[in-house]
Every structure is written in structure tokens, then in C-alpha cells.
């Protein structure tokens, strides 16, 4: 398959992620959108790694694993924050999180 | 071998010692002790001055170098004292007259508390010290030290009765006006240093004689020095402080504001005669300023009613004569007049002090009259002073004034006529003063009439001595006309002040001039006798008399065009400019920062969405920019 | 050895003071430490005069090329002596003043002294900057903690103002550092940085604004009257007596020789500012009713003269400035002492409310009159030789063609100085006493002692200014040699 397909798919995923982050106020959805963006990048990395095996080796795929590990860690922390937030203000709307402004 | 004159430092040092003893011990020493110390040191200085004078007459001048006051790079200002013909003459006048006035003061100030009595003598001694430093300094900087020092003492003594606000204002005025002149003097010193390299008289005079000064330099230097002299010697335009200075105790007026300090300007110009002779312009300025002052002050004196004010304006006027003489190149005539003036003006002031003492502080001559009968010695000596100042032979004033008039005649006939007019005015106001005060009926209160008494011996003795000097003091300068080998004074001064060359107008002209002036003066005296012998108090003065009584409104003019605008400008700077403009700018910057930070803060909305949007947009912007910039 | 002691004694003593609970003990300890410092300073300029004693060098930040390098040269000796003399006098003169949390007060005062000493001794630009800030920070706390009613606002302004200057200076220092041939902060590398004319012209203002704020020069002066008015008097004495000299000193040591071409080029502008400031401040002083503000403005006028004399670049002007820094410090501390006594006794500084003090407090009056006369540079007081030399320097300057104007206009401040000083004396001390001043008491032993020391210095240095001049001769000469632009002009 030509590389462009992967590129388009990844771009689409990334844009969905961005638009989601920008438009939604629900923290969990924003969180999921961030995951989508991360995975879009992962997809790109794997695709390019496959495309240039002799030069790049498997560095790209290694990065993907790193990202997945970090994302997992981030998810645990992020979800914990969201849970705490829900307990406090009974909502997961990020627009309530503007206390620092005042 | 070291010159014996090396010891001249003692002359100024002794009064300084007296100042320290009296100043520090004023709380612990009885009045008698203060008097002994105060007068004793001056007497010692006087005796030393005579000794120095004799030495100088035999062996010439000497410069005693003690230590380096300031040495910077090539500029070297030694602390050196110089005694020569000119300064030794001044030394004798200062310490001699000073001693008499010190003695007089012991009685005059006797009612003061011991503490203030000590303070008074301390100041007086400090004054003599400064004045001696002024005339003994061997360079302009030491002269300047004494110059400012006498200004300080004058300030302290005018404001001696410090509870009186008006007196203090007069003291401030005197100091500030002197400072204006001092600034000019200081700049002249810088100018001299810039040209000559130092400020020693010997070097400066040698430099001038070698013709190394540029024409404009010498004019500016001499003019600046002259401005300095107008401050100290009360000439137009800086004369107004001197009449106000009469707020001080009368002996102070006699010593500082008549006999010594105010002649400092004359001394300075006589000392710099080598410079002045090089600039015709300056000489003219000095002549005409002197003449104008002489006439102006004389006209004011005619309408004054305060006994001391009359004498003060008379002093200003006489100083004007001296300056005129200086301007005409008759330096030794000016110095001669300084000497005779010191005698008769000190006499007059001390006499007026005796009158004021007798009248328990009354100074208005309209409230006096007929005092001649009760104050015999005072009135007699006062009369001697009046005759001397009016210029009747053979009194001292005649010779010195005649020398000045003669040089005016040589220069310009019109000048002579105006100067003669001034001399007549002098005779007029002095005898007006004398007749109103000492003849006629007593016009004071009962209390005063009861109290009037002749002063004690310690006051009258100085009067008598000064009267003798006022009579005979001029004989050292009897002109050639009367005596072969006369005019010893100019001969004596000739090493410092070269005798003017050129033909004299001839003995017959000289005698004719003397006759004219003497007859005119006698006529004026007669006129004032008829006018004032039966003086009665009149109402408010009108017309010209009122203008004269108000001193031509010069004080008011100065107040209006200089003092007030400066004060208003200061207020403007303080209240408006400083607060609004300078500080406003500074605070404005601060306010601008805090305002913009308040505006910028609004960007931080706290909305996560907007942050992300902003982030995405700026990332896009960077991408786009990079895309374009790369090309 | 001596310079290190001069810095470390107040530094360590200051740090130790933080732990002294008892107020009296803290006060005595501070006085003792300051006396010890004074002893060191006197030793440094008299019997331990050997060159080895007056220098110390050690590595500080070798990677950056910064050294701990201190040296006591002629000008440094004078200013260190001033710092050392002023502290005991200040402590003595304000012995009876009470402070909340006295230990902190004295500790901060001593720390400031360490900073001041460091500034006057550093031979390394980074070290100089370090001490410059070290002196500033305790001052901020002193003003903002123990000051008057408006202290917070005023000390904030003071701090921001001076700090702005410091930052500009730091930029300048780093720039010059980058241009040095051996990448070093040492003063000699700075002198030999070989900056081009264009570079110097830009750098000049970075440095000059910093120093102008400190001195202060018109129009950077508005922090000063406010701060002097609000700060506790002891602090004001340090500020006006010693700290403003930092600015003057820095111009002489770090501006003129480092940027000679720019100093030459901007000399007229700077002198004009300085002279304007002199007249401006004098005129304002004439209209002041507040004693502290009057003294503050008079100080601005005097500092203006010093600045103008520096830029005359003459031997006479330079030496005049150097001795005048010392003399002015002594005199103004004396003035503050009297102001402090008056304020403490009557609770007011308004000249119009006072009067007639000379009857009730003759000793105070006499001492004040002497100090005031020194303030207007009367001959035979210490300020006269300095002012004489400075004016002479301005007049004989060869680097400007307006020397006559500068002298005459600057000279006006001599007259104005007499006006406001004598008016102040007249209104406060002379005349009849009023209800407020009727019960006035004369000065106490500690004040007598402090003022006595000052008066003795005034008279002694007025008669023998040569003692000070001998000290600074060499420094002035070497600075002027470095600032000389004639060879450069001749080449181009």
C-alpha cells in the first residue's frame, strides 16, 4: 500500500483529535481525543519505520512502544484527576476549572 | 638665615586664639576676663603690626610660606602670608582701629549676659582674624578665605541679637549679597589660575607685567574681581545690604561696616593694580560705578533719619569715592582715603554709638536734639569727625579727598564737577546730622531726657584717640604743594603701587582746586547750619524727599525683579514641575506597566479550550511562517 | 588582608546580629563591630600601608573568568574610610532611637556596610555588581520595615528605580565582558576591552543611567527626597552619606576609564544635566518647608557638582570630587543628626513650625551652624577645598567648550545654597521661641560626641585638605590617563 494512505488516515485521526479537544468540554472525551492524536502519531511512526527499514531500523517502532507506555501512565494519572474532579464538583466539565484565573 | 618676619603668622593667629578662648570659655569666664582676652590679643597683634611695619619700611616686603594648602598636579596653593608696604599699612589700620573698637565694646556691650558677651568678643576676634588673613594672604585663594571669613563674621555679628527676625533677615541679606560678589571673585581666581598656573600675587603680577595676558582675558578678570569688590565694598548694584547691616551692634558697624571689611574691595583692587592698569575698559567701569555710587548714596543719606543709616550711606558714598580713585589709577589716593576714612568713620560710628547708648537705644535723630550740652566729649569728637569727612583743612579727610578730586580733575573736568558735587552733599548731610542731633532743643521723651549721660571712659577714650587721628591722620599724605618731600604715603607704597607718571596740573591749579572745594564746603556747612539749627519735626516727606527717604526704591525693585520671580519659579518647580512632570513621568512608567499587565491578564481566561485553540493556532502560524521563510 | 577584613567584619557581625535577642546588646554589638571596621580602615591607610596588605585575590567563578579580587587604592581608601567613620558616628548619634526588632535593624545596617565596602573595593566587574546589589537589598528592607507612614510605596519606588539601573548596568557589564580579550570580568580586562566608538556610545547610557539613578542626577532623582523623608534617619544617613557616593565612585572607576570615548562624546550632555540639576534642586530647596526634603535637595545639588566635575576630566576636578565625596558624606551626616534631634524632640520637621531654638539649645545651634557652613562650602571648612577644586576643574576643562557657562551656572548654586541654608538656620534656630520649642532641650552626650567628631573633621580637613589630596593623587592620575581621548582623536 502506498504511504499516502497511512498519511491521510493519520491526518484524519489527528484532526478529529484536535477538533474534539477544541470543541468538547467533557474531560473524558477530551482525554480520549488526546489519545486519538497520540495514536495518529503512532500510526505515522510505524508507517515510516516500515517504509525505510534499512536506514531507520526499528527506531520508529520503538518510539511507538515508548509512547504507548507513557500514554498508559498518563491515562492512569489523568483519569485519577478526573475522578477527583468529579468527586469535588460533580462534573467533568473543564470550563469549571478556571479557579487559577481569580 | 630665616627671615625674622617668618613669625608674622602670629598676627592673625592671636585673634584666632582669642576667638577660641572666648568662644569655648564663654560660659565659664567672667566678663572682665573676656574683655582682657578679647582686647589683649588685638593689642598684641597691633604691637606686632607696628613692628612689622617698621621692618617692612626698612627691609621691604616678605612672603612667609608655611604649608601647602592645596597641591594638585601643577596647581600649587601654599598657605603663605605676605607682608609688604600695602598689607602692613592695612595691618596697622585693622588692628589699631580694631583695638580701639574692642575697648569701646567692653563698655558698650556691658549689659549683655556673660555668655553672649563672650560670644560677641569671640565673633569680633574671629572677624579680625579673617580680615588679617584677607590682607596678609600671599595669593588670591588665601585672600578669598579671609574674604569669605569676614563675610561670615559680618553675618554672625549683624545677626548677633538673634531673637530679632528683622536683624536675622538683614544678616542673611548681607551674606547672600556678598556671596554674589564672591562667586565673581571665585571665577576670576579660576581664570587667573587657568592663565597663570597659580594664584600667587608675585607670579600674577610678573605675568601681567610681561604682557602675557590677552586683552580680553585681562578685561574679564578685572571686571570679575571688581564685581567681587562691589559685593564686599557695597557698590552699585550690590550695595543694599550695607545699610541693613546696621542692625548689628554699633561697634560692629564701626569696625566691620565702616573701617575695615568694606574696604576689602579697595585693598583687592589696589593689590591687583598691575592687572587693572592693563585694562582701560575696566578702569572706566570702576570709575563710573564708583562715582555713581558716591552720588546715589549721598542723595539717599540726605533724607535718612536713623543716625546709623546716615552714616551707613555715607560709608557707601565714601567707598564710591575710593573706587573712583582706583578707576582713575590713583591707587595710593584710594588707600590713603581708606586710612583716613577708617579713622573718621570709626569715630563717627562710635560717636553715634555713644549717642545711642545715652539715649537708651534710640536711633531716630528726629527724637534727639540739643545733645551737645550733655554729651560734651561725644559731641566734640563727633564734630571733629564731621569736619574731617567734609574735607576741611587741615583735617585728614581734606588731604585724601583732595587727592581723589585732583586725579578726577586730571582725567576729566566734568568728572571733577560731579565728584565735587558729591563732596558737597557729604558735607551737607553730615552737618545736617550733626546739627539735628547735637544742637537745638531736645525732642525725646521725659524718660530719655532724664537718662541722657556721657559715656564712660572706656568709650570716650577711643573717641578721643580717633578724633586725634581724624585730625592728624592725614598728615602723612600732605601733598607736595604744602611741604617739600610731602606725600610720604605714596612714596612708601611705591614698591607695591607704582607712582603714576605724567605731568601734574601744576601747583597753582592744585591750590585753586583746594580753595574752591574748601570754600564750597564751608558755604554748604553754613547753609545747613541755617537750615537745621532749629530743627522741628515735620510731617510726611513729599515728592523727591519721599523717594530719597525710601532709598530710590531700589530694595523694592530688587525684591520685585529678582527675589520674587526666583521664589515663584522655585515654587513652580517644586509644586508643579517636580510633582507632575519629573515624578509624573516616573510614576507614569510604573502606572503604564501595571495597566498593561492588567490588560494582558485578561488573556488568561482559565478556559482550557481557549488555551488549546491558541496553542494550535500559533503552531499553525509557526508552520506557515517556517514554510514561507524557508524559501 | 585589610580589604577582606573590611568586608568580612561587617558581614559576619551583621549575620551574627540576627541572633542577638537583647536590644541593648545588639546595639552595642553593632557599635563594636563598626568600631572594629573603623580600626581596620584606619590601619589600612596608616601603618599597614604596604601594598601586600591592601590587595587580595582568589578564584571565585573560574569558568566565567570572575575573580574575588579586592584592592584598596587611593580613592577606595577614602571611601572605605568614609564608610567606616560614618557607621560609628551614626550608631552613636542615634543611640537613643528605639526600633521594633532592633536586632534585625542593626543586622541589616551592618550587611549594607559590607555591601558598600565591597563596592568600593572590588576590582572585578561581577563582584562589583554582586556587592552593588548586596548593598541595595538591606536598604530596601530597612526603609520598608522601619520607615515612615508612606514607607511601603516609597521604598518600593526606590527599589524598582535602583534595580532598573542595576539591570541596565548588568547588561552593560555582560556586553563588555563579551568583548574582553581574555573573557574575564577583571577591571584591567575591562579597561583594555578595546571597544569601538559606536559600541561605547550605546554602552554609555546603560552604565550612566544606573549610576545616575544612584547619585542621583536630574531627572532621575525623584526617588531620593521621598526615600530620605520616609526612611529611618539612621538609614537615611547611610543612604545620603555613603550610598549615593557609590554612583559617583562608579562613574569614576567603571565608566570613565572603560568608556573614555563615549564619556568624551556625551560629556557635555551629562554636564548639562548635572548643572541643570544643581540649579533645579537648589531652587526647590529654597521653597522647602520640610527639613528632610531640604537636606535631600541640597544633596542633589552637591552631587550634581561632583558629576559635572568628573566629566571635566581634569586633575583638579577629579581630585576635588574624590575628597568631596568624603567631605560631603561627613557633612550631610551631621545635618541629618540635627534633623533627627529636632524631629525626635518636637515631632515635626516643618520649618515653619519651629523657631528660636538657639536660645534653648545653644550647643545644638552652634554645632549645626558649623555643619551648615560646611554645607555651603565656606573656606576653612572641609567642603571648600573640594568645591574650589571642582569648580576650578570645570573651568579649566579642555574637553568642553562650554566651560565658562558650566562654571557660572553651577556657581549660581553657591549663592542659592547660601540662601536656603541660612534661611533654614534663621527660621529654625533664630527668632523668638514658640509654644512648641519653648521646652526644648539641648543635645545629649551621645549626640554631642557624634557631632563633635564631625565638627573636628570639618575643621581639620578644612585647614589641611592636603592630607586627603595626597591619598587620592595617584588614583586620579591613573584614571585620567585611561580616560584620555587625545591620542585617539589625533589618530582619527
Amino acid at each position: 500500500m502506498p504511504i499516502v494512505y497511512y498519511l491521510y488516515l493519520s491526518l484524519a485521526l489527528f484532526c478529529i483529535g484536535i477538533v474534539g479537544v477544541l470543541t468538547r468540554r467533557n474531560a473524558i472525551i477530551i482525554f480520549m481525543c488526546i489519545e486519538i492524536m497520540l495514536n495518529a502519531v503512532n500510526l505515522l511512526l510505524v508507517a515510516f519505520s516500515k517504509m525505510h527499514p534499512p536506514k531507520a531500523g526499528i527506531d520508529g517502532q520503538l518510539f511507538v512502544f515508548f509512547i504507548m507506555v507513557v500514554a498508559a501512565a498518563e491515562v492512569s494519572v489523568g483519569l485519577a484527576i478526573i475522578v477527583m474532579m468529579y468527586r469535588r464538583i460533580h462534573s467533568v466539565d473543564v470550563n469549571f476549572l478556571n479557579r487559577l484565573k481569580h | 638665615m630665616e627671615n625674622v618676619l617668618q613669625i608674622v603668622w602670629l598676627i592673625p593667629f592671636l585673634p584666632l586664639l582669642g576667638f577660641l578662648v572666648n568662644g569655648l570659655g564663654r560660659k565659664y569666664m567672667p566678663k572682665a576676663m573676656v574683655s582682657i582676652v578679647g582686647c589683649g590679643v588685638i593689642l598684641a597683634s597691633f604691637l606686632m603690626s607696628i613692628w612689622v611695619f617698621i621692618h617692612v619700611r626698612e627691609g621691604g616686603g616678605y612672603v612667609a610660606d608655611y604649608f601647602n594648602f592645596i597641591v594638585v598636579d601643577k596647581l600649587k596653593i601654599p598657605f603663605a602670608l605676605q607682608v609688604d608696604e600695602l598689607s602692613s599699612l592695612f595691618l596697622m589700620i585693622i588692628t589699631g582701629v580694631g583695638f580701639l573698637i574692642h575697648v569701646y565694646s567692653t563698655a558698650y556691650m556691658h549689659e549683655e549676659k556673660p555668655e553672649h558677651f563672650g560670644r560677641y568678643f569671640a565673633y569680633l576676634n574671629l572677624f579680625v582674624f579673617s580680615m588679617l588673613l584677607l590682607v596678609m594672604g600671599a595669593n588670591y585663594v588665601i585672600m578669598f578665605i579671609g574674604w569669605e571669613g569676614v563675610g561670615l563674621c559680618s553675618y554672625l555679628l549683624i545677626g548677633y541679637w538673634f531673637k530679632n527676625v528683622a536683624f536675622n533677615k538683614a544678616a542673611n541679606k548681607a551674606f547672600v549679597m556678598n556671596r554674589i560678589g564672591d562667586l565673581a571673585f571665585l571665577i576670576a581666581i579660576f581664570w587667573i589660575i587657568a592663565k597663570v598656573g597659580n594664584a600667587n600675587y608675585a607670579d600674577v603680577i610678573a605675568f601681567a607685567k610681561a604682557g602675557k595676558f590677552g586683552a580680553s582675558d585681562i578685561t574679564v578678570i578685572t571686571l570679575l574681581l571688581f564685581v567681587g569688590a562691589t559685593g564686599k565694598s557695597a557698590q552699585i548694584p550690590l550695595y543694599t545690604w550695607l545699610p541693613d547691616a546696621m542692625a548689628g551692634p554699633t561697634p560692629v558697624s564701626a569696625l566691620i561696616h565702616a573701617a575695615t571689611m568694606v574696604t576689602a574691595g579697595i585693598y583687592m583692587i589696589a593689590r591687583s593694580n598691575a592687572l587693572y592698569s592693563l585694562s582701560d575698559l575696566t578702569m572706566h567701569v570702576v570709575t563710573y560705578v564708583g562715582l555713581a555710587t558716591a552720588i546715589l548714596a549721598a542723595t539717599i543719606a540726605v533724607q535718612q533719619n536713623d543716625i546709623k543709616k546716615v552714616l551707613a550711606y555715607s560709608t557707601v558714598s565714601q567707598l564710591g569715592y575710593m573706587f573712583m580713585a582706583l578707576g582713575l589709577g590713583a591707587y595710593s589716593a584710594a588707600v590713603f582715603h581708606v586710612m583716613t576714612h577708617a579713622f573718621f568713620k570709626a569715630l563717627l560710628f562710635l560717636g553715634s554709638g555713644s549717642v545711642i547708648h545715652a539715649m537708651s537705644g534710640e536711633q531716630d535723630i528726629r527724637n534727639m536734639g540739643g545733645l551737645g550740652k550733655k554729651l560734651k566729649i561725644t559731641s566734640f569728637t563727633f564734630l571733629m569727625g564731621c569736619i574731617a569727612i567734609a574735607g576741611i583743612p587741615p583735617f585728614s579727610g581734606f588731604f585724601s579727598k583732595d587727592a581723589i578730586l585732583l586725579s578726577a580733575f586730571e582725567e576729566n573736568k566734568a568728572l571733577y564737577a560731579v565728584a565735587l558735587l558729591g563732596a558737597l552733599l557729604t558735607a551737607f548731610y553730615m552737618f545736617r546730622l550733626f546739627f539735628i542731633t547735637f544742637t537745638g532743643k531736645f525732642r525725646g521723651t521725659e524718660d530719655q531726657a532724664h537718662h541722657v549721660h556721657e559715656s564712660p571712659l572706656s568709650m570716650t577714650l577711643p573717641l578721643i584717640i580717633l578724633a586725634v587721628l581724624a585730625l592728624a591722620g592725614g598728615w602723612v599724605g600732605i601733598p607736595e604743594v604744602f611741604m617739600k618731600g610731602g606725600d610720604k604715603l605714596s612714596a612708601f607704597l611705591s614698591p607695591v603701587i607704582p607712582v603714576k607718571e605724567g605731568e601734574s596740573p601744576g601747583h597753582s591749579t592744585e591750590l585753586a582746586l583746594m580753595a574752591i572745594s574748601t570754600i564750597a564746603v564751608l558755604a554748604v556747612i553754613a547753609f545747613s547750619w541755617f537750615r537745621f539749627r532749629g530743627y522741628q519735626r515735620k510731617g510726611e516727606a513729599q515728592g523727591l524727599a519721599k523717594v530719597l527717604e525710601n532709598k530710590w526704591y531700589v530694595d523694592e525693585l530688587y525684591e520685585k525683579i529678582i527675589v520674587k520671580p526666583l521664589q515663584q519659579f522655585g515654587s513652580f518647580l517644586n509644586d508643579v514641575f517636580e510633582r507632575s512632570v519629573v515624578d509624573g513621568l516616573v510614576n507614569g512608567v510604573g502606572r503604564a506597566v501595571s495597566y498593561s499587565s492588567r490588560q494582558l491578564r485578561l488573556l488568561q481566561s482559565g478556559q482550557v479550550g481557549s488555551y488549546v485553540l491558541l496553542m494550535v493556532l500559533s503552531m499553525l502560524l509557526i508552520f506557515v511562517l517556517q514554510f514561507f521563510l524557508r524559501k | 588582608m585589610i580589604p577582606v577584613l573590611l568586608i568580612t567584619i561587617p558581614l559576619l557581625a551583621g549575620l551574627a546580629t540576627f541572633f542577638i535577642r537583647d536590644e541593648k546588646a545588639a546595639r552595642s554589638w553593632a557599635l563594636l563591630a563598626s568600631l572594629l571596621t573603623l580600626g581596620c580602615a584606619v590601619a589600612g591607610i596608616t601603618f599597614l600601608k604596604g601594598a601586600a596588605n591592601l590587595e587580595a585575590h582568589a578564584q571565585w567563578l573560574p569558568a566565567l573568568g570572575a575573580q574575588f579580587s579586592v584592592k584598596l587604592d587611593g580613592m577606595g581608601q577614602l571611601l572605605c574610610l568614609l564608610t567606616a567613620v560614618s557607621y560609628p558616628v551614626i550608631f552613636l548619634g542615634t543611640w537613643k532611637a528605639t526600633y521594633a526588632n532592633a536586632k534585625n535593624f542593626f543586622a541589616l545596617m551592618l550587611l549594607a556596610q559590607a555591601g558598600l565596602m565591597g563596592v568600593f573595593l572590588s576590582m572585578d566587574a561581577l563582584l562589583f555588581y554582586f556587592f552593588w546589589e548586596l548593598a541595595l537589598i538591606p536598604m530596601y528592607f530597612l526603609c520598608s520595615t522601619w520607615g515612615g507612614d508612606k514607607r511601603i510605596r516609597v521604598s518600593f519606588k526606590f527599589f524598582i528605580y535602583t534595580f532598573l539601573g542595576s539591570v541596565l548596568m548588568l547588561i552593560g557589564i555582560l556586553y563588555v565582558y563579551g568583548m574582553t580579550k581574555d573573557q574575564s570580568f577583571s577591571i584591567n580586562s575591562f579597561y583594555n576591552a578595546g571597544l569601538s566608538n559606536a559600541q561605547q556610545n550605546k554602552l554609555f547610557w546603560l552604565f550612566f543611567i544606573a549610576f545616575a539613578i544612584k547619585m542621583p542626577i536630574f531627572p532621575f532623582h525623584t526617588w531620593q527626597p521621598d526615600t530620605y523623608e520616609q526612611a529611618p534617619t539612621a538609614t537615611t544617613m547611610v543612604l545620603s552619606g555613603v550610598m549615593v557616593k557609590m554612583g559617583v565612585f562608579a562613574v569614576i572607576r567603571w565608566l570613565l576609564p572603560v568608556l573614555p570615548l563615549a564619556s568624551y562624546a556625551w560629556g557635555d550632555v551629562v554636564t548639562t544635566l548635572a548643572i541643570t540639576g544643581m540649579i533645579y534642586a537648589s531652587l526647590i530647596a529654597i521653597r522647602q518647608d520640610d527639613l528632610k526634603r531640604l537636606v535631600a535637595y541640597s544633596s542633589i545639588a552637591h552631587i550634581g557638582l561632583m558629576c559635572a566635575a568628573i566629566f571635566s576630566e581634569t586633575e583638579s576636578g577629579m581630585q576635588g570630587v574624590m575628597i568631596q565625596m568624603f567631605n560631603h558624606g561627613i557633612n550631610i551626616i551631621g545635618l541629618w543628626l540635627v534633623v533627627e534631634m529636632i524631629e525626635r524632640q518636637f515631632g515635626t520637621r516643618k520649618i515653619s513650625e519651629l523657631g528660636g531654638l538657639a536660645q534653648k539649645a545653644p550647643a545644638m545651634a552652634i554645632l549645626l551652624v558649623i555643619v551648615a557652613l560646611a554645607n555651603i562650602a565656606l573656606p576653612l571648612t572641609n567642603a571648600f577645598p573640594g568645591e574650589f577644586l571642582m569648580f576650578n576643574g570645570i573651568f579649566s576643562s579642555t574637553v568642553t567648550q562650554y566651560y565658562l557657562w558650566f562654571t557660572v551656572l553651577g556657581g549660581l548654586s553657591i549663592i542659592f545654597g547660601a540662601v536656603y541654608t541660612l534661611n533654614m538656620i534663621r527660621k529654625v534656630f533664630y527668632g523668638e521661641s514658640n509654644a512648641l520649642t519653648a521646652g526644648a532641650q539641648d543635645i545629649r552626650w551621645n549626640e554631642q560626641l557624634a557631632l563633635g567628631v564631625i565638627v573636628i573633621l570639618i575643621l581639620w580637613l578644612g585647614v589641611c585638605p592636603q592630607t586627603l589630596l595626597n591619598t587620592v593623587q595617584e588614583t586620579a592620575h591613573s584614571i585620567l590617563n585611561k580616560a584620555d581621548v587625545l591620542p585617539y582623536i589625533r589618530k582619527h
Side-chain angles (χ1 to χ4, degrees), chain B residues 285-309:
Chain B
V285 172
V286 175
T287 310
Y288 289 106
V289 169
L291 183 65
T293 313
I295 301 293
L296 181 88
T299 55
I300 297 175
V302 167
Q303 274 295 328
Q304 295 303 306
N305 293 319
D306 182 321
I307 186 167
K308 285 177 76 182
K309 284 266 160 80

Side-chain angles (χ1 to χ4, degrees), chain B residues 304-318:
Chain B
Q304 295 303 306
N305 293 319
D306 182 321
I307 186 167
K308 285 177 76 182
K309 284 266 160 80
V310 177
L311 293 175
Y313 278 105
S314 152
T315 307
V316 175
S317 168
Q318 296 300 313

